[in-house]
Amino acid sequence: MQIVSVDIGSTWTKAALFTPEGDGLTLVNHVLTPTTTHHLAEGFFTSLNQVLNVADARPLLNSGDVTLKYSSSAKGGLAVAAMGLVPSITLESAKVTAHSAGAKIAQYYAYKLNRHDIQTLEDSPPDILLFTGGTDGGEESYGLANARTLAASKLDCAIIYAGNRDIQDDVQTILGHKDLIVVDNVLPDLDHPNPYAARKAICDVFLSRIVKGKGLDVIVGETGEEPMPTPWTVYELVKAISDVDSAWKEFMLIDMGGATTDVYSASANMLSPDTVLHGVPEPFVKRTVEGDLGMRVSAMVVGESTQELVNVVFAHQPQRQEAFYGYLRHLVAHPDYLPVTEEEKHFDTLLAGLCVGYASERHAGTKKQVCTCVGNVDLQTGRDLTTVRKVVGSGGWLSRASQFDVHRWLKYRELDDSSRRVLLPGQFDYYRDAKGLLPLLANVARLDPQAAARTSIHCLTL
């Protein structure tokens, strides 16, 4: 059996052909073609035909000689607005759930929606609104008020209600005229997050509705195979790698693209002595995505979001700083551009460092000391990644950059803007996905997770 995997990214469409061999997979062929953003199917079939070395791959798919699995993060991926009650509890659970489903958080809201919130949602509607809030048997008034506000709005998108089960029937009645899906609460009680039903609902909406109008429906019609969101498949691959090899039980994966930087971690929720956890426990595998941190489409936003550090890097060099921002503007206008001069290569490395540093910091937990009636304790939010000893770099730029100093950027500062200690690893081995195979192996993991996980580990370059 041959397995062909295709991943449609914002800039490039990648394809690989694998054959099972022993307890792993053998790479037969691998191609890279520009993503045809005007019609995703064109670039998809170009890649598919090239990797199979045929004029038309469809007869091979129809005969069953080749099995196809593919994914997409093109056109910005899956945009979700997360809505919860308390920011550090139900809203955080909603965000973790959306991220694990392969979505990016386009907007987020806590407590009651106001007129400005509704106006923002109506002006920039997400693909999905994930409506959470309240543990089962807990607070009801905020959820009911938000349901009524949404009912009176012009918002036209899928709404997934995954909040307090005691008001499910009321929410169904209030929002029955909207595109509503009701699932189990993402946080039935404070100690037991339950993201699975909402996560599946997000993926179902992606498959049944969102693929239409992006060119993916043509691919589905021609191949009979449905796509998955790329981050969803990579998330599942991270879990498989953690399960298949004890040496890789805990690790981080940084996937940096042209529009976003995704960070995944497989790690237990560790608390050092005299430390108290603030907020809900996080899942063993966690994903975050930063929509303002990308190497091409988001380059100018990176420069604006990280201006304080850029000012430090170019202290007393105003002309070079202006040249750097000029380079970022050029990248936004020409996202397929590759640096030519030594200065442009230096600017590209700086841009990558900013993406890696800030994305990793936002992903990791933090710790600060607080005074209590029993003495000083450390208050920890999120997870402690200081014990992680393996970090993987993936995505086009990180895959190619053999000399990139990730250690410098992962710990570019000890304290964040609120003087909290950032809980990122300081000592670790860095591996590159040099051939850019991880998103492609993530598709194959849908068929054979253990073989795909073993092959993923073996294909990394130390």
Side-chain angles (χ1 to χ4, degrees):
M1 179 181 71
Q2 290 187 312
I3 305 168
V4 63
S5 171
V6 182
D7 178 55
I8 308 169
S10 298
T11 307
W12 298 98
T13 295
K14 302 167 285 291
L17 181 63
F18 299 97
T19 56
E21 184 172 326
D23 60 359
L25 301 160
T26 297
L27 177 65
V28 178
N29 197 11
H30 182 212
V31 301
L32 186 70
T33 60
T35 294
T36 49
T37 53
H38 63 283
H39 197 333
L40 299 178
E42 292 182 16
F44 172 88
F45 283 109
T46 297
S47 296
L48 185 63
N49 295 340
Q50 287 182 3
V51 79
L52 290 170
N53 196 27
V54 294
D56 185 355
R58 284 168 292 189
L60 288 175
L61 300 179
N62 294 334
S63 68
D65 293 334
V66 174
T67 299
L68 168 68
K69 294 295 177 183
Y70 68 104
S71 55
S72 173
S73 60
K75 295 202 172 183
L78 185 61
V80 169
M83 187 169 70
L85 182 54
V86 180
S88 63
I89 303 178
T90 47
L91 176 57
E92 188 61 27
S93 295
K95 292 162 71 174
V96 168
T97 299
H99 282 147
S100 72
K104 67 176 182 180
I105 303 298
Q107 305 153 44
Y108 55 89
Y109 305 94
Y111 305 115
K112 288 185 181 179
L113 294 169
N114 59 32
R115 286 193 299 272
H116 175 74
D117 297 334
I118 292 297
Q119 188 66 53
T120 302
L121 283 166
E122 290 176 343
D123 292 344
S124 301
D127 294 314
I128 298 170
L129 173 65
L130 180 57
F131 180 180
T132 71
T135 55
D136 289 346
E139 164 59 38
E140 298 181 4
S141 61
Y142 284 86
L144 291 172
N146 285 335
R148 295 187 186 101
T149 301
L150 289 169
S153 74
K154 299 177 183 177
L155 181 64
D156 184 19
C157 73
I159 300 174
I160 297 174
Y161 177 74
N164 185 350
R165 71 178 299 276
D166 289 10
I167 61 171
Q168 280 183 351
D169 292 341
D170 295 309
V171 171
Q172 180 72 63
T173 299
I174 295 168
L175 290 173
H177 62 292
K178 297 281 190 180
D179 185 2
L180 177 69
I181 302 167
V182 177
V183 298
D184 293 342
N185 195 348
V186 297
L187 193 66
D189 63 72
L190 294 179
D191 295 322
H192 299 93
N194 179 38
Y196 307 107
R199 184 173 183 255
K200 183 179 184 301
I202 291 172
C203 189
D204 288 344
V205 171
F206 172 82
L207 291 175
S208 64
R209 311 172 200 185
I210 295 173
V211 295
K212 297 177 181 178
K214 295 191 175 184
L216 294 176
D217 53 337
V218 175
I219 302 173
V220 174
E222 293 287 332
T223 66
E225 180 71 23
E226 293 184 325
M228 292 290 282
T230 302
W232 169 296
T233 61
V234 175
Y235 182 94
E236 294 297 319
L237 179 64
V238 169
K239 286 201 298 186
I241 291 172
S242 177
D243 290 338
V244 81
D245 190 329
S246 60
W248 284 83
K249 187 64 179 176
E250 297 195 351
F251 70 101
M252 285 180 64
L253 168 64
I254 304 169
D255 184 7
M256 186 173 67
T260 65
T261 298
D262 291 16
V263 182
Y264 303 79
S265 60
S267 176
N269 286 294
M270 299 295 295
L271 292 176
S272 55
D274 299 321
T275 298
V276 176
L277 180 65
H278 176 64
V280 295
E282 294 182 344
F284 186 83
V285 176
K286 175 184 176 182
R287 169 187 177 253
T288 54
V289 56
E290 306 304 333
D292 63 335
L293 301 175
M295 285 295 290
R296 289 299 181 262
V297 177
S298 306
M300 196 60 209
V301 184
V302 176
E304 295 168 353
S305 300
T306 64
Q307 188 168 12
E308 184 176 333
L309 182 55
V310 173
N311 291 341
V312 174
V313 171
F314 291 107
H316 312 299
Q317 296 179 296
Q319 291 183 330
R320 288 203 73 207
Q321 183 167 343
E322 180 53 38
F324 174 64
Y325 281 113
Y327 179 67
L328 299 187
R329 286 190 290 270
H330 180 75
L331 293 180
V332 173
H334 306 88
D336 57 347
Y337 182 80
L338 296 177
V340 177
T341 68
E342 288 304 313
E343 182 175 63
E344 288 180 341
K345 293 176 183 178
H346 173 74
F347 287 163
D348 235 30
T349 301
L350 173 58
L351 175 60
L354 294 170
C355 291
V356 167
Y358 276 77
S360 299
E361 181 180 292
R362 295 174 188 176
H363 179 88
T366 60
K367 184 183 290 188
K368 67 177 179 180
Q369 193 171 79
V370 296
C371 181
T372 72
C373 59
V374 295
N376 292 338
V377 298
D378 287 329
L379 187 66
Q380 179 177 317
T381 302
R383 69 176 66 202
D384 186 346
L385 296 173
T386 56
T387 59
V388 169
R389 294 293 177 260
K390 296 181 188 296
V391 177
V392 178
S394 185
W397 198 94
L398 286 178
S399 293
R400 296 189 301 269
S402 59
Q403 303 301 314
F404 182 60
D405 185 4
V406 173
H407 294 78
R408 171 194 172 191
W409 288 103
L410 213 61
K411 295 287 284 185
Y412 74 97
R413 62 177 180 177
E414 290 293 327
L415 303 177
D416 67 9
D417 294 332
S418 300
S419 298
R420 299 172 300 188
R421 184 187 170 206
V422 181
L423 302 176
L424 281 168
Q427 296 180 337
F428 56 88
D429 292 326
Y430 178 63
Y431 299 79
R432 281 187 305 120
D433 174 25
K435 294 182 179 179
L437 293 179
L438 291 187
L440 296 165
L441 286 164
N443 287 326
V444 182
R446 294 159 59 189
L447 295 171
D448 191 337
Q450 291 190 339
R454 293 190 189 97
T455 306
S456 296
I457 294 171
H458 293 152
C459 79
L460 297 176
T461 300
L462 183 61

